[in-house]
Amino acid sequence: MRTKKVGIVTTIAAFGMAALTLATLGVAKGMSASAAEVEPEPIPAEQGWYVVGNGAGSLKDCSWTNYVPDFKLESTATGREGSFKIENLTLYQGDAFKFLYADGTWAWPNDSGWTADVVGDYSCIDTGIKYFVDGGLGNIQVAANQSGIYNFTLDVEEEGVFITAVRTKALDVAAEEDMYVVGSLKNYATCTWPGAIDVATNCPKMTYDAATKKWSVELNLVIGDQFKIYNLANNSYYPSGMNNNYIVAETGTYVVEWESQAPDFTVTPVIAEKA
């Protein structure tokens, strides 16, 4: 008999854990200090288990606050307990989600944070699986180099909840990144923090160099400007967390550069050539 309250079985080291700090935007890796935390309030739907989340793959059509019919798990069970399946989810690094019952009950991870047995379960599976508890709700999140197409089985029993994840195909990481500069920028008045505007049409877009594997953009910045860089593909800020916006100390022209999958970016002044 299974005794742990929560368990997970996975055929590969596919997932890491991260904090959901802004549920309505689906921000999985951090949020701007300018944004307010919001608890999800799912819209009622047909009873059953659903995937809720966001990401660059299949989850781009999913939601944190609405039960999307295409993300309902299939089962012959008529209630909350039983075995439930969902197949062929395309997931990229940074994509994040949970399993949620239509009455608002989180299956796992739950919204009360991490417990010792949950951490223990994961630490026993593979040292490559990571989890983060930096102030928000815990999510299942695709780890580095584990993008792919996945099948999931959710077994809900009296003893607890058990999740099986199987990656049926590996995927390239190229589609994971679509980088922009976002924030409070005096020379880019239409751009602000995601959620308030359409980032793709209002904010400076960074360009990718396949040779260096770096994204960059040249900007005219003003003293006091505040910003981060933002991955529109999976709604992630760099750096993650709060109260760590880059603040411009001197007006000038700068190159903002980010190496693919790095935790932070660099800002370098452009020095004018002497005549």
Side-chain angles (χ1 to χ4, degrees):
M1 177 179 293
R2 295 169 175 169
T3 57
K4 284 185 179 292
K5 292 182 179 180
V6 177
I8 184 167
V9 180
T10 179
T11 56
I12 59 172
F15 296 98
M17 301 299 121
L20 170 62
T21 54
L22 185 55
T24 55
L25 296 182
V27 176
K29 289 186 176 180
M31 63 180 286
S32 160
S34 301
E37 291 194 13
V38 180
E39 293 288 344
E41 296 181 358
I43 298 173
E46 178 184 350
Q47 291 298 305
W49 287 104
Y50 291 78
V51 172
V52 293
N54 74 289
S58 298
L59 298 183
K60 69 180 183 297
D61 297 318
C62 195
S63 172
W64 286 108
T65 58
N66 188 13
Y67 296 98
V68 179
D70 288 346
F71 292 92
K72 184 176 185 291
L73 278 67
E74 297 181 356
S75 179
T76 57
T78 57
R80 183 178 182 276
E81 294 188 2
S83 184
F84 307 84
K85 298 180 183 294
I86 189 165
E87 298 182 340
N88 299 319
L89 286 182
T90 299
L91 302 172
Y92 289 103
Q93 177 178 334
D95 289 1
F97 64 96
K98 289 186 178 185
F99 294 102
L100 182 64
Y101 198 65
D103 64 2
T105 302
W106 298 106
W108 184 86
N110 61 37
D111 58 357
S112 61
W114 301 101
T115 60
D117 58 339
V118 173
V119 174
D121 286 347
Y122 265 83
S123 64
C124 292
I125 294 174
D126 191 288
T127 56
I129 294 179
K130 302 175 182 178
Y131 60 91
F132 301 86
V133 288
D134 53 358
L137 306 180
N139 304 319
I140 300 171
Q141 186 172 32
V142 181
N145 303 316
Q146 296 301 333
S147 298
I149 299 175
Y150 286 87
N151 296 336
F152 291 92
T153 301
L154 175 70
D155 291 307
V156 183
E157 306 173 1
E158 184 178 352
E159 295 87 354
V161 176
F162 303 86
I163 301 168
T164 304
V166 178
R167 185 170 71 166
T168 61
K169 181 180 179 180
L171 294 176
D172 192 354
V173 301
E176 296 178 13
E177 297 169 355
D178 186 15
M179 307 304 299
Y180 293 80
V181 173
V182 299
S184 301
L185 306 169
K186 293 182 177 64
N187 287 331
Y188 306 87
T190 62
C191 182
T192 183
W193 302 102
I197 46 89
D198 177 8
V199 171
T201 57
N202 288 280
C203 292
K205 179 175 175 60
M206 303 178 76
T207 302
Y208 183 67
D209 185 328
T212 63
K213 295 185 178 180
K214 291 183 178 181
W215 292 80
S216 65
V217 65
E218 185 174 299
L219 301 175
N220 294 318
L221 301 174
V222 176
I223 185 171
D225 282 357
Q226 296 190 35
F227 63 92
K228 289 188 177 186
I229 61 171
Y230 181 75
N231 185 359
L232 187 61
N234 65 6
N235 303 311
S236 296
Y237 286 94
Y238 296 86
S240 63
M242 299 176 65
N243 301 317
N244 56 3
N245 299 335
Y246 182 89
I247 302 175
V248 177
E250 184 176 347
T251 298
T253 301
Y254 295 83
V255 172
V256 179
E257 188 176 59
W258 181 71
E259 185 173 358
S260 182
Q261 304 304 321
D264 206 344
F265 59 89
T266 60
V267 181
T268 305
V270 176
I271 307 299
E273 294 184 2
K274 293 183 179 180

